[in-house]
Amino acid sequence: YITVKSPIIGTFYRKSSPDKDVFVEVGDVIKEGDVVCVIEAMKLFNEIESEISGKIVKILVDDSTPVEFDQPLFLVDPS
């Protein structure tokens, strides 16, 4: 499996706002460039795009939790 990692330090969110659906669920097939989450850093919400295509196998971070630079966020099966 390949991991999608955080490009920045901030707070991880699975959806763009509380009343919206999550960007991805386990089992979803994503393409390169798809937004998989947002990370808030200094009041800015940064859309995080996948650099790979494949199927989401596992979400490694809980919603609304702090993440570090280069921290794995998602496990993706590229097959």
Side-chain angles (χ1 to χ4, degrees):
Y1 298 132
I2 298 173
T3 54
V4 174
K5 295 182 180 177
S6 175
I8 54 174
I9 294 171
T11 305
F12 171 88
Y13 293 102
R14 293 190 56 205
K15 45 192 175 180
S16 57
S17 66
D19 58 339
K20 298 277 197 255
D21 290 334
V22 294
F23 289 107
V24 293
E25 293 278 12
V26 171
D28 286 357
V29 175
I30 58 169
K31 297 188 298 300
E32 188 176 333
D34 285 355
V35 174
V36 291
C37 65
V38 291
I39 294 179
E40 179 193 3
M42 300 188 306
K43 301 284 182 211
L44 286 174
F45 287 86
N46 303 279
E47 291 189 337
I48 307 305
E49 297 178 352
S50 176
E51 296 165 7
I52 49 176
S53 298
K55 180 158 59 168
I56 301 282
V57 177
K58 189 168 186 190
I59 298 166
L60 303 170
V61 182
D62 291 327
D63 197 29
S64 308
T65 56
V67 292
E68 297 293 324
F69 171 74
D70 219 28
Q71 179 176 338
L73 304 175
F74 300 94
L75 220 48
V76 178
D77 182 354
S79 58

